[in-house]
Amino acid sequence: MPHAFDFDSVEARLFTLHRVCLGSRPFCEKFQIDRIYESRGEYEWWEYLGHLKSLVSGTLIDAAVKIRMLQDFAKHEDEELDISSMQIEATEGLNIGYAVPNRNPISLRQSCNKIIHATGARLVWREDIGAACKFEYWVGEYHLFGAEQSGAKWETIIFVPDWCTAMIRFNRDFQEKIDWSHVIKWDE
């Protein structure tokens, strides 16, 4: 194996990001996060945006790179391992994202590639009115932009909560199907 891989840390980061996605609305309502009005709470909108984008970007990139590396390693280690079926099973019942504008669903591997090769990324926000005031919250979508080597531009939307679920499923399935004790035993 070319690198040591810490499955638990990837899963822990995905778990944290998943919770942040699902908790964005109540968090932003509680702290009255709004880009237009001066903050009445503990966090300014720009401060929240900075922390959130850093967490989202860092976690997505880290997980995407590591899962892609595992997929490539698996092809080398076990030619009979069906990575495509594992990806399909991991995304069953989920919508991890789609290509813009045609809304064609993307595979787990494609999502990782888009995350890794994006030259632009934007969080998607929604305004709402709470008991105390108007606020904005992140809806759990990540809009990615980039260009192919041919120069053709692309856009992709990642639905982060479903993507986290799929990545955790894939990570767990991968650990069960590869004989890690054999891999580590014969690694120098």
Side-chain angles (χ1 to χ4, degrees):
M1 183 167 172
H3 300 286
F5 190 81
D6 182 1
F7 293 100
D8 292 337
S9 69
V10 170
E11 200 165 314
R13 290 190 71 194
L14 289 168
F15 171 79
T16 300
L17 179 57
H18 204 177
R19 297 280 301 149
V20 168
C21 292
L22 299 176
S24 179
R25 188 187 182 288
F27 182 92
C28 290
E29 182 177 17
K30 176 181 174 73
F31 291 104
Q32 303 174 5
I33 305 294
D34 186 78
R35 78 178 79 207
I36 296 174
Y37 298 104
E38 190 171 318
S39 176
R40 298 161 297 273
E42 299 297 318
Y43 296 94
E44 295 285 334
W45 187 85
W46 294 102
E47 180 182 21
Y48 179 67
L49 170 66
H51 289 310
L52 182 63
K53 189 161 185 186
S54 178
L55 174 69
V56 173
S57 296
T59 304
L60 291 176
I61 291 166
D62 182 53
V65 167
K66 289 177 178 174
I67 294 299
R68 277 292 321 282
M69 288 174 64
L70 281 176
Q71 292 173 347
D72 293 344
F73 167 74
K75 286 181 196 174
H76 174 74
E77 186 64 25
D78 184 351
E79 293 175 7
E80 294 179 17
L81 187 64
D82 187 357
I83 297 289
S84 295
S85 292
M86 290 173 64
Q87 290 182 86
I88 290 168
E89 289 171 16
T91 58
E92 187 174 328
L94 303 173
N95 181 4
I96 63 167
Y98 62 84
V100 175
N102 59 20
R103 299 182 69 93
N104 288 337
I106 58 173
S107 71
L108 201 55
R109 185 172 180 91
Q110 288 170 320
S111 72
C112 291
N113 288 341
K114 295 301 184 190
I115 291 164
I116 293 166
H117 296 292
T119 56
R122 188 178 73 235
L123 300 164
V124 178
W125 298 86
R126 181 169 296 138
E127 290 183 7
D128 206 346
I129 298 175
C133 68
K134 181 178 94 61
F135 64 96
E136 287 182 74
Y137 67 97
W138 175 47
V139 299
E141 295 177 21
Y142 204 45
H143 197 157
L144 302 171
F145 309 88
E148 303 291 339
Q149 289 182 343
S150 66
K153 294 184 178 186
W154 57 262
E155 293 181 37
T156 299
I157 298 283
I158 302 289
F159 298 112
V160 178
D162 279 359
W163 190 84
C164 288
T165 299
M167 292 292 278
I168 289 169
R169 287 178 183 173
F170 184 86
N171 187 30
R172 289 177 181 168
D173 192 27
F174 192 87
Q175 290 177 75
E176 291 174 9
K177 290 186 174 160
I178 294 288
D179 181 3
W180 289 105
S181 60
H182 173 78
V183 171
I184 293 168
K185 180 179 177 181
W186 300 107
D187 190 29
E188 292 182 25

